[in-house]
Amino acid sequence: MVRMNALWARLTLLIASLCIALSSTASAQEPLSTDSLIGATADGYHRISILLCTPSQADAYTIYGHAAMRVRSLEDLEDDYVYNYGVFDFDQPGFYTKFIKGETDGYFVQQEPWDYFLYRYHAYGQNIYELELDLSPEQEEAIRSYLAWNIKEENKYYLYNFAFDNCATRPYSIVKQTLPKGWRIELPQVAKEESLRSLIDAYADYHPWYRLGTQLALGAPADTIMTVEDRLFLPMEMDRLLQQATIVSPTGTKPLVSNRIVYDTPTPAPQPVAHWWLEPVLWMSLLLVVSGVLCYLRRSRYWTLLWMTGYACAGCILSFLTFVSIHPCTDPNYNLLVFHPLLLLAWFALGRGGKAQSIARYFHSANALAVALYLILVACAVQTSSLPIILLALNSALLSVAYLTYSKRFTQRR
């Protein structure tokens, strides 16, 4: 969730999630030199807080916001640093290949001055919320000692997971793990239980094509209801939940957050406008209408090949994400019933021999049945779909049924 440059954003959206998106909850910033940064020391009283940057609609990779941990001394104003998780370096050997495969073990924690962090995110047009934690001096010292150990070169790398081990979950896990024995954090109940898919979809209102990409790339595991603690992977969920969280100890309970400070950006980003003509559902509806007209006029032969090839290309990316990559929540993915490489068999329809035509008919029969099975699974809530994906599925089935209908009539005439 740290800032990613535009070129890399579009590259990963293209390759890692059906030419649109998969896991833009992760992004990058240039690593800072740590030579002049101050490590944790044993003297002085420090305050620990969690920083939450508001989402920005400037681009798809900023819509979830960002989180980090701040450690500042109340005695030395220069001892004020932010610990950023989810940072990566483009220059790491093989980084791009590993990212596409989901091998995100090149991510690391970075220490940076508070003033730099504040300036950077304000320049992006994002507000910053600071949640000061009500911790004991012993726990504060334990957190500082852990962070000083964690930023060392041999300890700073970890396997990033956009949903379960990202820039927001790491600070919370550190606080939780440094609690004294017998203590625990109690989170509030939520009014509505939601899945990973529904939670991230809510942030993509101004990026409908990005949302379509994530809906395609994420499989059935993304529909599992998330626990309250799992919801903390989203910074704004963390802001809401931690304000109501309590620390439970053998002697009683107290609020986890002692104070909330808001740092409003002096240059707020302009609110984007959602244009109805950019909605995927509109274009998928038009696609279905055009397919219906061409099928009725019996002019759908090359139109069918065009779209079956497009579906197959999307299926190649989906197959890679499902069977090869280790990205979370992509396996199993029943969207593969609609988008898969075997759709290239539609090209047998161009063959003049009886064998090629038989293969084409068998293919289109199987495709129509696969789409029907997909719609049944969606209706039974085995995997959540969306209206644009359902329209694409119906388009595929329509093209196959039309081919079977007209090829049968042609065979009978012969």
Side-chain angles (χ1 to χ4, degrees):
M1 291 182 206
V2 188
R3 178 68 64 171
M4 179 197 296
N5 67 43
L7 178 61
W8 173 240
R10 284 160 177 76
L11 178 63
T12 54
L13 296 182
L14 172 67
I15 300 177
S17 49
L18 297 176
C19 307
I20 308 172
L22 170 65
S23 58
S24 291
T25 50
S27 52
Q29 69 182 60
E30 288 298 321
L32 299 171
S33 172
T34 59
D35 295 341
S36 61
L37 299 183
I38 304 172
T41 58
D43 56 344
Y45 180 70
H46 288 70
R47 178 149 298 164
I48 310 292
S49 57
I50 292 178
L51 302 173
L52 304 165
C53 304
T54 57
S56 169
Q57 296 296 334
D59 215 326
Y61 49 84
T62 63
I63 61 177
Y64 302 109
H66 179 54
M69 179 170 274
R70 182 184 182 187
V71 180
R72 65 185 178 96
S73 171
L74 300 182
E75 298 177 345
D76 183 1
L77 296 181
E78 293 185 359
D79 186 4
D80 191 352
Y81 294 95
V82 174
Y83 295 83
N84 248 329
Y85 287 89
V87 180
F88 58 80
D89 184 0
F90 296 113
D91 296 329
Q92 291 177 10
F95 175 81
Y96 294 93
T97 302
K98 294 175 67 177
F99 181 87
I100 293 169
K101 292 171 64 179
E103 297 172 357
T104 52
D105 53 356
Y107 285 67
F108 56 91
V109 58
Q110 177 174 270
Q111 184 192 51
E112 63 182 90
W114 156 248
D115 290 342
Y116 176 83
F117 181 90
L118 180 66
Y119 171 80
R120 183 156 52 86
Y121 279 91
H122 274 182
Y124 297 155
Q126 295 170 265
N127 299 329
I128 299 175
Y129 304 147
E130 181 175 15
L131 304 181
E132 294 186 341
L133 306 179
D134 189 4
L135 307 175
S136 66
E138 293 77 16
Q139 190 180 3
E140 289 173 343
E141 180 60 32
I143 291 175
R144 291 175 55 239
S145 297
Y146 174 80
L147 292 172
W149 170 87
N150 201 189
I151 62 172
K152 293 181 179 179
E153 184 66 26
E154 64 271 22
N155 303 325
K156 68 180 184 179
Y157 293 95
Y158 71 102
L159 183 64
Y160 179 93
N161 183 305
F162 83 93
F164 303 109
D165 195 355
N166 66 0
C167 66
T169 60
R170 277 270 163 164
Y172 174 78
S173 297
I174 293 171
V175 174
K176 183 180 176 181
Q177 291 169 11
T178 54
L179 287 172
K181 186 177 181 180
W183 293 39
R184 73 178 191 277
I185 296 176
E186 190 170 287
L187 297 170
Q189 296 299 310
V190 293
K192 178 184 178 183
E193 293 184 331
E194 294 186 73
S195 65
L196 171 69
R197 192 191 305 273
S198 62
L199 283 170
I200 64 176
D201 279 355
Y203 285 79
D205 289 341
Y206 295 97
H207 300 275
W209 290 94
Y210 167 83
R211 180 169 53 197
L212 175 60
T214 58
Q215 290 168 344
L216 284 166
L218 294 175
D223 296 316
T224 303
I225 297 299
M226 304 196 82
T227 67
V228 177
E229 188 170 85
D230 286 341
R231 296 167 70 115
L232 296 177
F233 83 100
L234 290 170
M236 293 301 97
E237 286 289 305
M238 175 175 280
D239 178 49
R240 181 175 63 86
L241 293 171
L242 291 194
Q243 288 186 70
Q244 305 173 59
T246 57
I247 296 178
V248 180
S249 68
T251 58
T253 64
K254 65 175 181 179
L256 172 62
V257 176
S258 60
N259 190 27
R260 182 176 184 267
I261 305 171
V262 177
Y263 301 93
D264 287 326
T265 176
T267 56
Q271 187 71 8
V273 178
H275 300 291
W276 62 268
W277 61 85
L278 295 179
E279 289 294 328
V281 66
L282 170 65
W283 293 100
M284 303 313 166
S285 299
L286 289 176
L287 168 64
L288 190 59
V289 170
V290 172
S291 294
V293 171
L294 290 176
C295 289
Y296 178 77
L297 298 175
R298 302 186 186 184
R299 296 290 186 272
S300 61
R301 185 180 188 186
Y302 293 103
W303 179 257
T304 298
L305 293 177
L306 171 67
W307 283 103
M308 291 299 174
T309 302
Y311 282 33
C313 291
C316 289
I317 301 175
L318 271 185
S319 298
F320 177 86
L321 291 173
T322 303
F323 303 117
V324 179
S325 83
I326 58 173
H327 285 292
C329 302
T330 58
D331 182 23
N333 188 346
Y334 295 104
N335 289 325
L336 283 168
L337 289 170
V338 180
F339 308 92
H340 54 83
L342 292 179
L343 291 170
L344 292 174
L345 292 174
W347 284 87
F348 276 100
L350 293 180
R352 295 184 178 277
K355 187 175 182 180
Q357 293 300 315
S358 296
I359 292 175
R361 284 193 293 271
Y362 282 126
F363 157 74
H364 281 290
S365 298
N367 184 55
L369 291 174
V371 172
L373 176 59
Y374 173 76
L375 296 176
I376 292 172
L377 293 176
V378 170
C380 295
V382 175
Q383 178 171 316
T384 301
S385 187
S386 65
L387 185 54
I389 298 176
I390 291 174
L391 291 173
L392 285 171
L394 292 175
N395 180 67
S396 180
L398 172 63
L399 295 174
S400 286
V401 170
Y403 176 85
L404 292 171
T405 301
Y406 296 132
S407 65
K408 181 178 180 180
R409 290 178 180 177
F410 178 76
T411 301
Q412 289 175 346
R413 286 199 302 269
R414 292 181 63 185

